[in-house]
Amino acid sequence: MKHISVLIKPASALCNLRCKYCFYANVSSLREVRSYGKMKTDIAEQMIANIYEDLEDGDELTLAFQGGEPTLAGLSYFQNITELIEKQVRRVHVHYAIQTNGIVINEKWCVFFKEHNFLVGLSIDGHPLYHDLNRVDPRGRGTFQRVLQTKALFDRYEIDYNVLCVLTNPLAKEAKKVFRFLKEQQIGYVQFIPCLDDLDALERNSYALTPKRFASFYHQIFQLWFTELQQGNYISIKLFDDIVNLLVRRQVTACGILGNCQVQYVIEADGSVYPCDFYVLDEYRMGYIQEQTLRELFSQDVSKKFRCEKAPLPEKCQICPFLKMCHGGCKRMKDAMYVDERDFCGYAHLLKEFVPKIDEILETLQAVHA
């Protein structure tokens, strides 16, 4: 039995917000075609058919939808996808996920998400001030209250969701306020996404996270999280879960956590396929899903080249006690959370605090979940 995950961009780089730090706006601007528009019905049909070519009875498939803003493809697009899945002959267990800014979500969307057990990633930047500064609509207006209304809808319809919080350098100073927000809003699952500099940046922008701010933020969050855990209240923080899974369960639950690139199968709206969401660029196009299966795309030279590309590790990494569980980490995240120009590693700083307490953390987690 195998489990295949595919990341689909049904509305390409189209978006109804103008977030100031959007990494995909930067990535798409570096392509010959900035946006491929909305995925056409015939491409969607061929996509599902070719994905199923590599599947057998009993396999698992995760279809995750991202953007831009994927909901701009329209509810009918997603209804068509689920209908196409239901028509497939092979008995495959399918999981659905979507990452959204929440702006267009209404009750019809919630009914659909609930019916098909979608896991939703809802973007909220953990603090009203910073959210409204960065996550703005085309008229420059903040969107915090609109997104909270969507969260309330998800709560009412009992939609499975987690909060996606872009961790900018300024927001990283506000760990206590962010944690207070999580508690006040009764958010049970959160992923902090390091804010990255542009791929073609000539100088560092003010939003981009630095390893020192990463370390400072996670030091405070860890203290608050562990105290809360000892009181019997569990909040799932994705990075903490990933470290526990790696050390205790020997499971890799985050791409790049071991420093090795894996092919993610990112499918753009025109059917073009790429190995990583950070590198949806012309030079990394592996082919087209309407023309080849995932197995065939994986064997392309572009795919092999991407998996083998790796920058040399800094000298500090060679003597790091965590080298075997990190190997330099994700190459795209290196400037945000790993070794900076002064040889300070934000991730190692977190692991020095987290790893010695792993047995105590595990024992407390087991008591909370008992």
Side-chain angles (χ1 to χ4, degrees), residues 37-89:
K38 299 177 183 179
M39 183 178 286
K40 295 177 181 177
T41 304
D42 62 325
I43 293 179
E45 187 173 344
Q46 293 163 352
M47 173 181 72
I48 297 301
N50 270 354
I51 288 173
Y52 266 74
E53 279 294 315
D54 294 322
L55 296 171
E56 300 172 355
D57 289 347
D59 286 346
E60 292 191 51
L61 170 66
T62 295
L63 296 179
F65 300 91
Q66 201 182 65
E69 174 50 39
T71 58
L72 294 186
L75 182 55
S76 60
Y77 168 86
F78 294 93
Q79 291 168 332
N80 180 52
I81 290 290
T82 56
E83 288 168 7
L84 289 170
I85 292 293
E86 288 164 6
K87 290 177 183 176
Q88 301 303 311
V89 176

Side-chain angles (χ1 to χ4, degrees), residues 204-219:
R204 196 170 189 86
N205 70 53
S206 61
Y207 307 111
L209 187 65
T210 63
K212 282 202 169 181
R213 282 279 171 85
F214 171 92
S216 172
F217 176 82
Y218 269 103
H219 167 70

Side-chain angles (χ1 to χ4, degrees), residues 62-225:
T62 295
L63 296 179
F65 300 91
Q66 201 182 65
E69 174 50 39
T71 58
L72 294 186
L75 182 55
S76 60
Y77 168 86
F78 294 93
Q79 291 168 332
N80 180 52
I81 290 290
T82 56
E83 288 168 7
L84 289 170
I85 292 293
E86 288 164 6
K87 290 177 183 176
Q88 301 303 311
V89 176
R90 293 184 180 89
R91 295 189 300 275
V92 173
H93 188 55
V94 181
H95 309 273
Y96 296 106
I98 187 170
Q99 180 175 333
T100 178
N101 58 35
I103 297 300
V104 305
I105 301 297
N106 56 24
E107 297 199 17
K108 288 183 179 179
W109 281 97
C110 289
V111 169
F112 175 78
F113 287 156
K114 188 66 179 177
E115 179 183 357
H116 296 281
N117 298 311
F118 267 69
L119 173 63
V120 183
L122 180 63
S123 295
I124 311 178
D125 276 358
H127 188 286
L129 172 64
Y130 290 95
H131 183 107
D132 280 344
L133 276 174
N134 297 319
R135 304 189 65 81
V136 297
D137 66 16
R139 295 171 63 181
R141 298 174 301 184
T143 58
F144 183 78
Q145 290 303 323
R146 275 183 277 177
V147 179
L148 278 196
Q149 289 169 11
T150 295
K151 177 191 174 297
L153 270 179
F154 287 164
D155 289 333
R156 180 146 60 89
Y157 278 86
E158 299 181 333
I159 305 294
D160 289 331
Y161 71 95
N162 53 49
V163 164
L164 306 173
C165 175
V166 176
L167 189 60
T168 61
N169 218 40
L171 182 61
K173 293 188 295 183
E174 307 290 356
K176 291 180 180 179
K177 291 180 180 178
V178 170
F179 198 79
R180 188 184 309 133
F181 170 78
L182 298 177
K183 289 182 63 179
E184 288 172 352
Q185 290 294 323
Q186 298 180 311
I187 292 167
Y189 300 86
V190 63
Q191 178 179 356
F192 295 109
I193 302 171
C195 184
L196 304 177
D197 226 334
D198 291 345
L199 271 172
D200 59 340
L202 297 177
E203 57 183 46
R204 196 170 189 86
N205 70 53
S206 61
Y207 307 111
L209 187 65
T210 63
K212 282 202 169 181
R213 282 279 171 85
F214 171 92
S216 172
F217 176 82
Y218 269 103
H219 167 70
Q220 293 180 71
I221 283 290
F222 177 68
Q223 297 292 329
L224 295 164
W225 174 82

